[in-house]
Structures are given as structure tokens and as C-alpha cells.
Amino acid sequence: MPEITLTTLVFLCLAAAAAGWIDAVVGGGGLLLLPALLLGLPNVPAAHVLGTNKAVAIVGTTGAAVTYVRKAPVQVGTAVRIGLMALAGSMTGAFFAAGISSDVLRPVIMVVLLAVAAFVMLRPSFGTAAAGDGAGKKVTRARTVTAIVLVGGGIGFYDGLFGPGTGTFLVLALTAVLHLDLVTASATAKIVNVCTNAGALAMFAYQGTVLWQLAALMAVFNLAGGMFGARMALRKGSEFVRGVLLVVVFSLVAKLGFDQWTA
């Protein structure tokens, strides 16, 4: 592990805790964690930063998923199937990533995110209650298959191809396709994220690009942040998640805009 000052170590641990909280509530914790690692480890190869990021994130994501499953009405089987499809999609996206410029993708994703933000703001009821004839109405098999193929495969492909905002897109898509409230969608997204993170971490570990000692320390803070965020989302409900969602969406748009401007 490279030499790291105490100040940098504290900064990275606090960033890991904050990222765990954000990721547990609405997804998008990587928007904070990965830049923090890049800033704190400027002389470390990018592959090691990415591998360490995954080793930290999977711990917090797993903790949040366990917390949600215990208290939220999550269909674990469906979530795992979506996760496995997302894993396959992310591997496919990574295969094509080398041939596509992120400078082309950034403006497209920014437009999509702004449209999403407008939709959420103009539809206050979105994700605040289950849709259908009643809250207990079962989702049709067709919608479940759509979620597995399009949400899992499509967003998984995007994750491998480009990445930023994957957790947020998962929450929005699961809410729309499976008629989940935002809390249950966040819970389901966490299980999907565990599947995709596990696949990526296995590859990074095989390549030897994980700083395990640093990852282990940061993971403790990420786990604490993730479990606290999940409990807060469960306690405060969908309106709270909706507010955090809008903040994350606009933050992502700002980051992508900055990246595009400085590219």
C-alpha cells in the first residue's frame, strides 16, 4: 500500500461514510467515493483506484441490502435475477467501452438526467406509493421479465460502458417498471448492486489491482454510512428518498457538465 498521510486517510474514511449513506438512500455513492480516491491517491494507477473503490463499495452496499431486506418488502429472487442480468450486461458494456468516447455519451446522459429530474418534480406522486389497483397488487410476469431484461441488462450495459449514476438509474427504472415505491426500489437496487459489484471485484482481485488494507479500513466507514442511510430511508419514507434523489440527479448533471467543459 502506498504511503498515505493521516489527513488523507481521515478524508478518505469520511468520504467512504458519506458515499455509503448516499448509495443506500438513492444510489450514486460512487460519484463521491471514486473522485475522493482519485484525489487522495494521485500517484496510484487508475486500475488500483477502481479496484479499491469496488472493494469498499461492495461492503457498504451489502450492509445496506441486508438492512433493507429485513424491513422492506423486497422480492429477493426477482432482485437477484435482475442483478445477474445486470452483471452480464456490465461485462458486455465493458467489452465495448474502449471503442466509445465518453465525450459523446456525457451530453446524452445529461439530457436524460434533466428529463428525469423534470419528470420527478412534475409528478410529486411518483414513487410515493405502489401503483395499480392497490398497494398489494402483484406485478405481472411481463413487467418482471421487462425489469430483468431491460433494467438489468440495459443499465448493467451502461454501467460497464460508462458508469456514473447507475444506482440512481436503477432506482428510477425499478420504480417505473415494477411500480415500486422509492424505498423498495432503493432496497432492490442495492441487491442488484451487490451482484454487479461482486463480479467487478472478482475481476479486479484476479488482476491484483486492489489495495486491500486501505479498502478494509474505508469499508468499515462505508458500511456504517450504508446501514445508517438505509435505516434513515426506511424511517423517513419515500418523500425523503425523493428529495435526496433530486439532489443526486442535479449533482450528477453538474459533475458531467464540468467533465464535459474541462475535457
Side-chain angles (χ1 to χ4, degrees), residues 21 183 230-241:
W21 187 91
V183 172
R231 289 193 178 96
M232 184 175 288
L234 287 165
R235 184 172 67 251
K236 292 184 175 293
S238 293
E239 281 296 338
F240 170 74
V241 177

Side-chain angles (χ1 to χ4, degrees), residues 44 83 92 119 123 125 127 207 222 229 253 257 263:
V44 173
T92 305
F119 176 80
R123 292 283 300 275
S125 62
Q207 295 172 341
N222 191 251
V253 170

Side-chain angles (χ1 to χ4, degrees), residues 83-131:
L84 292 175
M85 180 60 75
L87 175 59
S90 65
M91 293 175 67
T92 305
F95 178 79
F96 288 102
I100 297 180
S101 172
S102 60
D103 292 336
V104 176
L105 286 175
R106 284 195 198 103
V108 175
I109 300 304
M110 288 170 63
V111 171
V112 172
L113 283 169
L114 287 172
V116 165
F119 176 80
V120 173
M121 287 189 294
L122 294 173
R123 292 283 300 275
S125 62
F126 178 74
T128 59

